[in-house]
Amino acid sequence: MPYPHNLRTAKEVEAIVRAEGATPATVGVIEGEVRVGLSSEELDYLAQCRSSLKVSRRDLPYVISKGVSGGTTVSATMIAAHRAGIPVFVTGGIGGVHRDGENSLDISADLTELGRTPIAVVSAGVKSILDIGRTLEFLETQGVCVATYGASKNFPAFFSPQSGFTSAYHVCSPEEAAKLIASTLSLGLQSGVLLAVPIPEQHAAAGQQIEEAIQAAVTEARCECEPVQGVPRLHPKSAGIDSSPPMTLLRIKCAKGVTGRDVTPFILQKVNELTEGKSLQANIALIHNNAKIGSQIACALSKQVNERTLKNETHPPGKLSSNTESDVVVVGGINVDFIAKGKTETLLFGQTNPGSVCQSFGGVGRNIADSLSRLGHKPLFISATGTDSNSDAVLNYCKHMNTCGVARIEGQSTATYCAVITESGELSLGLGDMDIHQQITEQYVSLFEEQLSSATLVCLDGNIPVSTIDYVCSLAKKHNINVWYEPTDSEKACKPFLSDAWKSLSYSSPNLAELCTMNATLGITTPEVLPSTLDEMLGVTVVLSRPLLDHLHCLVVTLGAHGVLLCGELDAGTVNLQPRKQRRRRQLCALYYPALTVTPEETMNVSGAGDSLAGALIAGILQGKDTDSCVRMGLLAAKMSLASPHPIAPVLTLDSVDPNNVQAQDWPKPKFVWMD
């Protein structure tokens, strides 16, 4: 297309793709770099560039080596899109076998590319100036599945809904087309799919005018033309064109003048001039139509692939069962942790420090589920990993847990976390690769709706997407479920508070920084600098906890080495931790419990203390223990975690956290604070 039609059409096509719910990524070559997803400025540059080349597979090495720009043909675009992981590509029309191709061997690289690159190409068929019959035969030889999009198998000829030839198959809807593409990709055939979309009939150009224009353009290109023998004359009315004379398909024999890859652009431009722009309008209309249908197919394909991944491919080593019974469900992250502990109090960045490195298995959700599993419960753990060696290792380690809800997703990496701690056990630096946690989607978690709805308590960690948290909170509101939210870190603490979802939470276990984030998200003023003394910490914590307790049943605020502050409903001189059955007005109070002493020499790992505390607290609550016993169980579990190389100590048992096994004088009386 001439400028500015090319630029305007490109931007219109991208807008159509977005409107249909897909993501557009226009392909081109900019100064020797293949770009998948051109910016607005790059589109403008390419649309006006007078020195740009037409880039096919054979041209890619040259344009890259010379640093020139160009527009990619179907074959080059297929290569780029496939390498970027894009399964659906939309264009106008593909190339094919030229007239007299049996002698000239002038065959577009588009056809061989379709035979060796697994991608779906949505087009308006093959340009009518080509040998459509031989093109379809060549595609069959290349093993390309060809299907017409619509109610019939009639194969379109770009400007005409019919060419006189038929496709092997036809598909009638985006979902049906998506199933065809998905089955092709799943078989690993390494060949593509051609979906031929007829031009909308209201935009089909007048047959006689196109016929005369093509003949004139071919003559100017100094090509000899003759009718194709053995091909019936196609009456326009059979193609939905309101024109009386029948059309004749021409074989084009280029003698001299315009040749090779320049023939098709020349003829189409000349046809546009001779039809006074009508063929250009039809061209734009069919591209718009292809973009709309192609986007609908892409969205349907994405949905089907996701559903297939979740239902059929993501449940080893456990087997999903709707009858899985558990009094608690944990939804959250699972990680492989690498803990590096320095042998000096000060770590010097930019150089090697003496220390030790060990591998362990963590993730906030996994830690809590692990803790519960060692303390007499069998929580259903819902999470996601990749299918790599890290996944094998962590799931093998978690054999004592119910991991039938852990999805193993092809092509994804299991989450990893690296913590660098000082000799005294303080965290110096943490690095995490947590992208897999975004796969713990609302759609996946909803497969376990029956278990979620019947659980006594559901625990969520802050690693999972906001939409998943919102979904579980909506179930909690509907079925009166108690939900425990473990914020994970100060950045993720805000997730339930971005909407009214937080009002459906019952418990949360933030540290002071995470508590500040929660309040700030609700528009409540928080201190710019966190307090440093214990009395100041307790005062700020009480103030910041109060607004959240308008809806939450209880807050367990961890204060690091200082201990924990329990905030909630007053019940017989203590905080009521038992799951509430109904919401009511209540008096509020707080209890402060000091931490148990752990020396720097004893400290091995700081990544799981808070999760151990939460897991043991939840276990005590589910077992109906009194508040003091629940908190003491949590403090003992946290102490064991700090002294273990693993986030959850493998020696954790109910006996090891039984407060009765600790001498009475080691348990100071908790400090009581009124909140109202």
Side-chain angles (χ1 to χ4, degrees):
M1 295 180 190
Y3 181 81
H5 298 287
N6 54 1
L7 178 62
R8 183 169 63 247
T9 302
K11 292 185 175 181
E12 289 170 350
V13 164
E14 290 193 345
I16 291 170
V17 172
R18 289 191 183 94
E20 294 297 328
T23 302
T26 304
V27 176
V29 181
I30 304 295
E31 297 179 345
E33 289 188 356
V34 179
R35 303 286 177 88
V36 179
L38 296 178
S39 66
S40 180
E41 294 75 19
E42 288 168 339
L43 278 174
D44 187 65
Y45 167 77
L46 196 58
Q48 299 187 66
C49 183
R50 295 183 179 274
S51 60
S52 63
L53 299 181
K54 179 181 176 183
V55 183
S56 185
R57 169 184 270 267
R58 71 163 189 188
D59 308 303
L60 282 170
Y62 177 80
V63 297
I64 291 172
S65 68
K66 292 295 185 180
V68 299
S69 301
T72 49
T73 64
V74 169
S75 67
T77 308
M78 287 178 67
I79 293 168
H82 175 58
R83 292 200 177 185
I86 299 172
V88 179
F89 159 49
V90 169
T91 185
I94 67 167
V97 178
H98 280 259
R99 303 297 166 83
D100 198 38
E102 68 274 21
N103 296 316
S104 68
L105 295 181
D106 190 352
I107 301 171
S108 171
D110 298 351
L111 305 187
T112 51
E113 201 63 50
L114 275 162
R116 59 183 171 187
T117 301
I119 194 169
V121 177
V122 179
S123 82
V126 179
K127 300 174 182 70
S128 57
I129 60 176
L130 302 174
D131 191 325
I132 296 176
R134 284 190 169 88
T135 296
L136 291 172
E137 289 290 345
F138 193 91
L139 286 170
E140 181 182 355
T141 302
Q142 293 293 311
V144 179
C145 181
V146 178
T148 298
Y149 185 88
S152 75
K153 294 182 181 179
N154 291 328
F155 188 82
F158 203 66
F159 292 120
S160 172
Q162 298 187 40
S163 64
F165 298 92
T166 58
S167 300
Y169 310 102
H170 71 104
V171 290
C172 298
S173 67
E175 291 72 25
E176 194 174 345
K179 286 182 180 178
L180 176 64
I181 298 168
S183 64
T184 303
L185 298 177
S186 68
L187 288 170
L189 299 177
Q190 301 306 307
S191 54
V193 177
L194 177 63
L195 293 169
V197 181
I199 185 173
E201 292 190 4
Q202 65 268 31
H203 295 292
Q208 181 62 31
Q209 190 175 9
I210 289 284
E211 173 75 4
E212 293 172 355
I214 288 176
Q215 292 191 43
V218 168
T219 301
E220 188 164 340
R222 298 186 180 181
C223 296
E224 299 174 5
C225 306
E226 62 181 22
V228 180
Q229 300 299 320
V231 177
R233 286 157 63 84
L234 179 64
H235 198 283
K237 288 186 177 180
S238 68
I241 302 171
D242 188 15
S243 176
S244 53
M247 295 189 294
T248 302
L249 292 176
L250 300 177
R251 175 178 288 117
I252 301 172
K253 295 181 178 180
C254 293
K256 56 183 179 179
V258 182
T259 59
R261 65 183 182 185
D262 297 325
V263 171
T264 299
F266 175 86
I267 292 176
L268 291 178
Q269 181 178 350
K270 199 63 185 177
V271 168
N272 180 54
E273 293 174 2
L274 295 173
T275 59
E276 297 179 341
K278 290 183 180 179
S279 66
L280 177 60
Q281 294 172 11
N283 196 353
I284 293 172
L286 68 87
I287 289 174
H288 284 177
N289 188 55
N290 289 353
K292 180 177 181 179
I293 291 174
S295 301
Q296 293 171 352
I297 293 170
C299 290
L301 176 63
S302 177
K303 181 179 179 181
Q304 290 177 18
V305 169
N306 286 339
E307 289 176 349
R308 182 177 300 179
T309 298
L310 294 175
K311 291 181 179 179
N312 300 333
E313 302 172 11
T314 62
H315 297 119
K319 182 179 180 182
L320 174 61
S321 170
S322 60
N323 296 322
T324 300
E325 293 183 2
S326 178
D327 54 353
V328 60
V329 178
V330 180
V331 187
I334 185 170
N335 306 336
V336 175
D337 291 343
F338 298 92
I339 309 299
K341 183 180 181 182
K343 291 185 176 180
T344 57
E345 183 55 35
T346 302
L347 297 178
L348 302 176
F349 288 86
Q351 67 183 61
T352 301
N353 292 263
S356 61
V357 179
C358 69
Q359 181 188 42
S360 61
F361 303 103
V364 173
R366 194 218 68 86
N367 290 346
I368 293 175
D370 187 352
S371 177
L372 287 164
S373 298
R374 297 180 189 277
L375 295 175
H377 297 271
K378 204 68 175 177
L380 170 63
F381 179 44
I382 302 173
S383 188
T385 71
T387 52
D388 49 17
S389 58
N390 283 332
S391 174
D392 294 336
V394 70
L395 289 172
N396 183 63
Y397 180 79
C398 295
K399 284 181 178 178
H400 61 290
M401 298 165 51
N402 179 3
T403 58
C404 71
V406 178
R408 300 189 70 183
I409 301 177
E410 295 286 345
Q412 297 279 344
S413 299
T414 301
T416 53
Y417 173 72
C418 179
V420 180
I421 62 177
T422 64
E423 185 182 27
S424 63
E426 292 299 317
L427 180 66
S428 178
L429 177 69
L431 294 172
D433 177 4
M434 308 292 184
D435 291 348
I436 187 70
H437 294 154
Q438 297 309 305
Q439 301 300 319
I440 311 173
T441 62
E442 173 187 351
Q443 289 77 15
Y444 178 64
V445 174
S446 68
L447 298 176
F448 304 88
E449 183 168 337
E450 182 179 343
Q451 293 92 329
L452 290 164
S453 301
S454 59
T456 303
L457 186 141
V458 176
C459 180
L460 308 177
D461 83 18
N463 287 305
I464 64 179
V466 172
S467 57
T468 305
I469 293 173
D470 290 348
Y471 164 72
V472 174
C473 286
S474 69
L475 283 183
K477 183 177 181 180
K478 180 179 179 182
H479 298 285
N480 197 28
I481 307 165
N482 284 273
V483 178
W484 183 297
Y485 180 60
E486 169 48 56
T488 306
D489 62 43
S490 57
E491 289 188 3
K492 298 169 184 173
C494 66
K495 288 185 176 181
F497 298 86
L498 297 171
S499 66
D500 283 342
W502 73 276
K503 296 179 180 179
S504 298
L505 300 177
S506 296
Y507 302 89
S508 187
S509 46
N511 60 30
L512 189 50
E514 293 160 354
L515 183 61
C516 286
T517 298
M518 294 173 172
N519 278 264
T521 306
L522 295 176
I524 299 169
T525 303
T526 60
E528 295 183 4
V529 180
L530 293 180
S532 56
T533 67
L534 177 59
D535 287 343
E536 290 174 333
M537 285 183 182
L538 295 178
V540 168
T541 302
V542 167
V543 170
L544 294 179
S545 298
R546 181 60 188 85
L548 304 187
L549 291 172
D550 283 342
H551 296 280
L552 271 72
H553 177 53
C554 182
L555 279 170
V556 181
V557 184
T558 57
L559 303 172
H562 289 289
V564 61
L565 184 69
L566 218 63
C567 304
E569 179 184 17
L570 173 67
D571 181 27
T574 188
V575 173
N576 180 15
L577 276 179
Q578 290 306 305
R580 58 181 172 186
K581 297 181 179 179
Q582 61 183 5
R583 296 173 185 268
R584 61 187 181 187
R585 294 184 62 85
R586 62 241 165 96
Q587 278 191 305
L588 300 176
C589 68
L591 285 178
Y592 166 66
Y593 291 83
L596 299 178
T597 302
V598 182
T599 66
E601 292 74 24
E602 293 176 314
T603 303
M604 295 283 293
N605 184 350
V606 296
S607 67
D611 302 336
S612 295
L613 174 77
L617 260 172
I618 293 171
I621 292 170
L622 294 174
Q623 292 161 17
K625 296 185 181 296
D626 63 85
T627 300
D628 279 354
S629 295
C630 290
V631 177
R632 289 169 179 173
M633 286 174 64
L635 292 173
L636 285 168
K639 181 177 181 178
M640 294 178 66
S641 171
L642 290 169
S644 169
H646 300 279
I648 304 300
V651 294
L652 178 69
T653 63
L654 277 173
D655 280 343
S656 67
V657 294
D658 185 347
N660 296 321
N661 293 336
V662 179
Q663 294 182 4
Q665 60 265 30
D666 292 337
W667 292 113
K669 185 177 180 180
K671 181 180 179 180
F672 182 89
V673 180
W674 282 107
M675 295 189 68
D676 283 338

